[in-house]
Amino acid sequence: MVCVEQKGLIIVHTGDGKGKTTAALGLAVRAWGDGLRVLILQFIKGGWKYGELDTIEKLKAIDGRIELRQCGKGFTRRDGNEHRQEHAAAAAEAMVQARKELASGDWDLIIFDEINYAVKFGLIDIAEVLLLLDDRPENVHVVLTGRDARPELIEKADLVTEMKLVRHPFQKGVKAQKGIEF
Ligand code: ATP
Ligand code: MG
């Protein structure tokens, strides 16, 4: 049955294959083209010039209906990270922003890029993420990306896609290339 009424979906992109963030960005571009208001909040990522920053800035300049904010301090590891406090503070601040923007009524689609990493690294409690989803207005679509999505999140989601690693140029020693990896 096809229904035209907008019911906000919880969408998860996870798995060890490449394409989780790029699929979310593809969805953002589609949604913007269809007149939706789109916000992308990037957890963990920060201070690195990804191609999508330029793309979204250019789209934003057209009508302000799409925005990307880097809320992190760059990729991190669970152990031995001297900047852990900084990462934790950034993740907590990103969660405050996430809650505020979800409730604002300003957006039809919100992407929490790499939020699963933030949970995996112990920067955010999964219970907080689940609560965030429970409390959101029911017409807002939410996308959550990152490897190792927690089973509780997968259980809650309406749409879950697992990217599966079959082959990656990294395995042959090919370094990350601009425009493809970042
Ligand atoms: P992308 O941003 O390209 O869609 P992703 O979101 O699926 O990738 P992440 O887990 O966020 O992947 O990893 C970010 C970076 O690691 C990207 O530069 C991506 O190309 C690279 N990457 C993703 N999967 C693999 C893999 N299986 N092996 C090596 N590098 C990978
Ligand atoms: Mg990613």
Side-chain angles (χ1 to χ4, degrees):
M1 188 182 84
V2 177
C3 181
V4 289
E5 210 175 297
Q6 187 165 310
K7 182 216 175 287
L9 297 174
I10 298 174
I11 301 171
V12 174
H13 296 170
T14 192
D16 61 359
K18 174 174 161 60
K20 300 171 288 291
T21 297
T22 45
L25 291 167
L27 196 55
V29 168
R30 171 182 286 170
W32 179 80
D34 277 334
L36 271 59
R37 303 159 299 164
V38 182
L39 175 66
I40 303 153
L41 289 186
Q42 294 191 316
F43 287 70
I44 314 279
K45 286 173 180 166
W48 182 271
K49 197 86 177 85
Y50 293 88
E52 56 260 36
L53 296 183
D54 278 348
T55 308
I56 304 297
E57 273 306 305
K58 283 178 179 144
L59 292 181
K60 184 185 174 191
I62 295 171
D63 65 4
R65 213 158 31 74
I66 188 163
E67 205 172 313
L68 187 158
R69 300 181 201 155
Q70 284 192 326
C71 304
K73 297 279 172 196
F75 270 86
T76 180
R77 282 170 198 269
R78 190 183 189 104
D79 300 314
N81 192 320
E82 61 197 77
H83 302 300
R84 191 175 168 79
Q85 279 305 98
E86 249 181 79
H87 287 291
E93 172 54 34
M95 282 303 280
V96 170
Q97 230 185 107
R99 212 168 288 117
K100 176 172 160 275
E101 296 298 343
L102 260 176
S104 71
D106 291 342
W107 310 105
D108 302 299
L109 167 66
I110 304 193
I111 294 167
F112 299 130
D113 187 35
E114 313 303 350
I115 193 169
N116 295 337
Y117 275 114
V119 171
K120 186 181 176 186
F121 297 145
L123 301 174
I124 301 172
D125 197 313
I126 184 66
E128 254 193 279
V129 177
L130 298 176
L131 200 63
L132 181 76
L133 296 172
D134 282 341
D135 290 348
R136 81 192 197 285
E138 61 182 342
N139 59 330
V140 182
H141 301 294
V142 179
V143 181
L144 306 98
T145 85
R147 288 171 195 223
D148 300 314
R150 291 283 287 265
E152 305 94 305
L153 176 63
I154 288 175
E155 187 57 40
K156 196 176 199 52
D158 302 292
L159 199 174
V160 181
T161 300
E162 184 171 357
M163 274 66 180
K164 179 182 183 312
L165 172 65
V166 175
R167 188 174 300 131
H168 193 288
F170 187 73
Q171 296 163 322
K172 281 193 288 188
V174 179
K175 292 211 177 89
Q177 297 184 72
K178 190 147 185 62
I180 303 294
E181 310 283 348
F182 60 95

